[in-house]
Amino acid sequence: MLNLTDYLSIAPFLVIALTGAAVLLFDLVFPKNKNLLIGTSLLGIVGAAFLTGRLWFQYAEGFSFTVSGDRFALLFEYVLLIIAGLSVLLSDRYLQLKNINHGEYYALLLFSTSGAMLMASAKELILIFVGLEILSIALYILAGFARTEEKSEEAAIKYLLLGAFSSAFFLYGIALIYGGTGLLTGLHGQPAPTTQLDHIASIVMLHGFNAYVVAGIALLFVGLFFKAAIVPFHVWSPDVYQGAPTCVTAFMSAAVKAAAFAVLIRITETFLQIDPSEFGVTSDVARQLALAHHVITGVLWAFAAITMIVGNVVALWQTDIKRMLAYSSVAHAGYILVGVLASNDQGRSAVLFYALIYAIMNLGAFGIVMLLSDEKQERSRIDDFKGLAYKHPFTAVLMSIFMFSLAGIPPAAGFFAKLYLFSAAVQAGDPGIAVLGLLASVVGVYYYLMVVVKMWMVPEDRDITTLTWSWGSRVAVLICASATLLLFLFASPVISTFSGSDVTVSADDYSAASAAPVEPVAPPKALAVQPHVIGATAIAQR
Amino acid sequence: MAMAPVHIPLFYYLIVSAILFALGTIGVIVRRNAIIMFMCIELMLNAVNLSLVAFSRYLSDIGGQLMVIFVMAVAAAEVAVGLGIIVSIFRNRESINIDTLDVMKG
């Protein structure tokens, strides 16, 4: 039977989904009033943030321990809510310009966010799959939202075909793991096929792997790598990012990445956190586990390396800023993968910090790109930024902040985010990938600074008269810029607290988890994240 | 409950499912018509359903069959959106050949 705890554990994304439905309804009743829809969406997001905060203090794990309320999930939910809130604020003027200011936009954005939040907190593969599809299906529509434009349509169909294609791989992986765990346990007694990550971990630990589970893990990774745009599964991302309306691109780049990496971390840790020496297992199983650890780490290492290199190098040749930011987001996915690879507390908190910073700076950058476009044209060529500083110095300063942050140059938070990721890798005993990441980001500096140079040092070759600021985009971009700077200033105390091993969740938070029918082998460790810092940013966003 | 259908081993179902999945994958890669590519993706999803049901029956666990229901619901939603997008593309350019969708390159 469902009880209150179940509803409490899904309350944040339930509220977001219901707000989406309410937005649809309001749009029907008041078709002219878009500000009402923006207000409703923001209200829903704030409400969900409060409910997430409540879960923070009152641990709830619902639906037979398949929906987690651990801090890792809650922090990702906060990041996703921030992304959604900023996207709602950013979009309004741009939608009007493109003449696609339909109320469904906000509803789809919220549905998509609820799916992403479900992904971040699900601990069961089918639930993750459902979250993934809720996120993706809404985004397919959003990518093609400017439906009279060829580019937008093209983005939508490409995203749809490749997205559904990758979901099928993910699903096949789930099916094989389901069967594989059942066959493993069936050999020793009552078969207990499962798709719960905790149970999978304990089964694998007791019985080792079989061919089904191995193939299943590989397919899961393929599906997730598609979503997170890891090379060589990134081919869709430049076209989709370029073709989709810019406000959708902004949301998509931040939210999909955050959700995909939340899942990637959970799945990776299911198989990496198993320490064979701790348990009295036969040497055969122990050897299998050690081998699996070795292989998974090696594969992630290779993907991280190639993603960072390819993303940064290909971005050098781009002339369209949306396309350039798409390749840059591929490169950033590679950096985040370094944190996943580290697979320790520091790595996990570094990934979270990076997801937050990346979302903020990327949304800010896309926000400025949106400002340049007018009724006639998109104006997303990098050359369109020429001489921006002469006409609009303040806007140019904001864009420079975001570019510095994306490049990881000190006066912006991107520097610490990157530093922290790479130091997690070093701490995990893998300095090689950190060095590689540093070299790759040096390449990245070139194309980010190219935008800055064009703005400040090249005379304009077209007439940039008006920028299409609206109050929403003004607020959102200013929040992004100030958060980028503030999180730079406050990053070092945060990071030093992160590094302290004593920052963990209090024991009673996991009392519920320990009552699970099958003892969870590796309950996702609490993130060593300062609540007040993230909380303060979340409040500042509103 | 009876453990397994004795006459047809689990492995046979899995082979059929794998073949269907592979056919779907190849179809998506080689065909150029958006609707046919879409059908191939459906084929992949249904191949997965077949293995889920086979596992579920063989292991006497109802979970796998429940998952199939989820997958069907998701697939239906995907089809609704996908066909919508395809129709809208056809309206714009009177063709749903994927190779003609090349406004963006690089």
Side-chain angles (χ1 to χ4, degrees):
Chain A
M1 281 305 286
L2 296 183
N3 56 31
L4 191 64
T5 323
D6 293 332
Y7 290 109
L8 205 63
S9 66
I10 60 161
F13 29 98
L14 200 60
V15 165
I16 291 287
L18 288 177
T19 312
V23 165
L24 277 182
L25 214 63
F26 287 160
D27 187 44
L28 202 65
V29 184
F30 309 103
K32 290 274 179 283
N33 193 349
K34 299 299 178 215
N35 281 338
L36 174 75
L37 304 184
I38 298 175
T40 315
S41 312
L42 290 177
L43 204 67
I45 290 167
V46 172
F50 272 117
L51 285 165
T52 312
R54 190 189 146 93
L55 280 174
W56 188 280
F57 297 109
Q58 189 185 346
Y59 183 77
E61 199 162 73
F63 298 95
S64 316
F65 309 100
T66 55
V67 180
S68 160
D70 57 22
R71 305 224 150 160
F72 176 73
L74 295 184
L75 286 168
F76 260 111
E77 283 178 17
Y78 267 128
V79 172
L80 289 165
L81 287 171
I82 290 169
I83 294 168
L86 289 173
S87 307
V88 167
L89 282 174
L90 274 175
S91 321
D92 139 72
R93 181 87 186 105
Y94 181 79
L95 292 176
Q96 281 171 24
L97 274 183
K98 289 217 133 192
N99 204 16
I100 47 171
N101 196 9
H102 310 299
E104 290 85 357
Y105 174 82
Y106 299 103
L108 288 168
L109 200 75
L110 290 172
F111 290 148
S112 183
T113 310
S114 73
M117 288 166 77
L118 178 60
M119 275 173 86
S121 43
K123 288 203 301 182
E124 203 264 355
L125 289 171
I126 282 291
L127 211 53
I128 292 175
F129 175 72
V130 171
L132 183 75
E133 288 298 307
I134 296 175
L135 168 75
S136 306
I137 290 176
L139 274 178
Y140 302 150
I141 309 175
L142 283 175
F145 207 68
R147 65 194 161 91
T148 49
E149 266 177 42
E150 288 203 343
K151 268 201 313 188
S152 179
E153 292 284 81
E154 188 179 324
I157 191 79
K158 282 180 178 166
Y159 195 27
L160 172 86
L161 287 175
L162 286 173
F165 190 57
S166 68
S167 301
F169 281 99
F170 190 77
L171 192 69
Y172 202 26
I174 296 176
L176 290 180
I177 285 184
Y178 170 78
T181 50
L183 292 174
L184 276 175
T185 48
L187 299 176
H188 298 264
Q190 192 65 25
T194 181
T195 46
Q196 280 200 36
L197 293 176
D198 293 342
H199 297 187
I200 294 171
S202 42
I203 287 173
V204 164
M205 200 187 53
L206 280 174
H207 307 287
F209 291 87
N210 60 10
Y212 298 111
V213 175
V214 171
I217 296 170
L219 288 168
L220 285 186
F221 275 125
V222 170
L224 283 174
F225 283 174
F226 255 111
K227 292 289 169 194
I230 303 283
V231 177
F233 306 108
H234 70 293
V235 281
W236 58 273
S237 78
D239 283 353
V240 174
Y241 279 36
Q242 189 189 351
T246 312
C247 47
V248 177
T249 310
F251 174 76
M252 182 158 56
S253 65
V256 177
K257 204 135 285 184
F261 274 104
V263 173
L264 206 53
I265 288 181
R266 261 190 214 283
I267 291 182
T268 312
E269 304 227 326
T270 305
F271 299 104
L272 285 192
Q273 273 201 344
I274 306 160
D275 185 3
S277 60
E278 267 182 43
F279 300 87
V281 285
T282 61
S283 63
D284 193 33
V285 173
R287 235 179 299 119
Q288 278 188 19
L289 290 175
L291 182 66
H293 196 287
H294 201 68
V295 170
I296 292 177
T297 320
V299 168
L300 287 182
W301 198 99
F303 277 111
I306 193 169
T307 305
M308 289 187 295
I309 295 169
V310 171
N312 276 315
V313 170
V314 181
L316 293 175
W317 278 279
Q318 302 307 319
T319 51
D320 184 287
I321 189 147
K322 282 163 83 178
R323 217 174 165 81
M324 181 203 96
L325 285 172
Y327 278 109
S328 113
S329 101
V330 171
H332 283 274
Y335 303 145
I336 301 179
L337 207 54
V338 173
V340 177
L341 186 62
S343 173
N344 50 19
D345 270 344
Q346 208 199 349
R348 226 170 305 146
S349 44
V351 168
L352 239 164
F353 191 62
Y354 205 92
L356 175 70
I357 303 290
Y358 176 72
I360 288 172
M361 60 199 184
N362 214 36
L363 284 169
F366 276 114
I368 305 277
V369 175
M370 272 185 248
L371 291 177
L372 288 187
S373 49
D374 50 40
E375 279 91 347
K376 292 181 224 75
Q377 260 184 305
E378 179 90 337
R379 301 240 185 253
S380 65
R381 285 179 311 134
I382 295 179
D383 285 346
D384 287 331
F385 281 85
K386 272 185 188 167
L388 185 72
Y390 302 108
K391 277 277 169 59
H392 304 283
F394 184 61
T395 312
V397 168
L398 291 177
M399 189 63 176
S400 308
I401 292 175
F402 298 133
M403 287 297 131
F404 276 120
S405 188
L406 281 165
I409 295 172
F415 169 72
F416 274 120
K418 210 166 274 179
L419 178 77
Y420 198 35
L421 268 182
F422 292 151
S423 66
V426 173
Q427 206 158 62
D430 195 357
I433 193 80
V435 171
L436 206 65
L438 280 176
L439 290 178
S441 43
V442 169
V443 176
V445 170
Y446 174 80
Y447 59 85
Y448 293 122
L449 289 195
M450 182 55 97
V451 178
V452 178
V453 167
K454 288 232 161 107
M455 283 191 302
W456 293 91
M457 293 172 196
V458 182
E460 59 181 312
D461 59 358
R462 70 180 182 94
D463 192 25
I464 314 173
T465 41
T466 46
L467 291 181
T468 48
W469 287 102
S470 72
W471 65 269
S473 60
R474 206 179 290 262
V475 169
V477 170
L478 283 178
I479 289 174
C480 290
S482 46
T484 309
L485 294 176
L486 282 177
L487 282 170
F488 174 77
L489 292 177
F490 294 110
S492 46
V494 175
I495 287 172
S496 63
T497 331
F498 280 5
S499 315
S501 55
D502 56 325
V503 193
T504 42
V505 91
S506 58
D508 58 352
D509 280 351
Y510 282 101
S511 54
S514 58
V518 176
E519 196 71 24
V521 178
K525 288 217 187 70
L527 272 164
V529 173
Q530 278 294 81
H532 70 262
V533 176
I534 304 289
T537 344
I539 290 159
Q541 305 301 338
R542 286 172 235 128
Chain B
M1 209 204 287
M3 255 310 276
V6 241
H7 21 283
I8 307 177
L10 169 69
F11 196 62
Y12 287 25
Y13 287 103
L14 296 183
I15 288 291
V16 172
S17 154
I19 289 173
L20 285 178
F21 193 86
L23 284 177
T25 313
I26 294 168
V28 174
I29 293 167
V30 301
R31 297 304 295 258
R32 293 288 64 133
N33 181 309
I35 290 186
I36 296 199
M37 289 171 81
F38 211 59
M39 283 160 62
C40 289
I41 290 172
E42 292 302 307
L43 186 63
M44 292 165 78
L45 291 179
N46 284 319
V48 176
N49 282 349
L50 180 61
S51 24
L52 277 173
V53 171
F55 276 129
S56 166
R57 180 88 178 101
Y58 181 77
L59 301 164
S60 312
D61 180 87
I62 199 73
Q65 295 178 39
L66 289 179
M67 288 178 211
V68 171
I69 307 280
F70 276 98
V71 175
M72 282 176 169
V74 163
E78 220 161 47
V79 167
V81 168
L83 291 183
I85 291 172
I86 291 172
V87 166
S88 137
I89 285 186
F90 187 76
R91 277 200 193 144
N92 275 351
R93 41 180 125 188
E94 305 269 295
S95 154
I96 47 168
N97 189 326
I98 286 296
D99 286 338
T100 61
L101 297 172
D102 54 0
V103 180
M104 294 169 291
K105 271 199 179 131

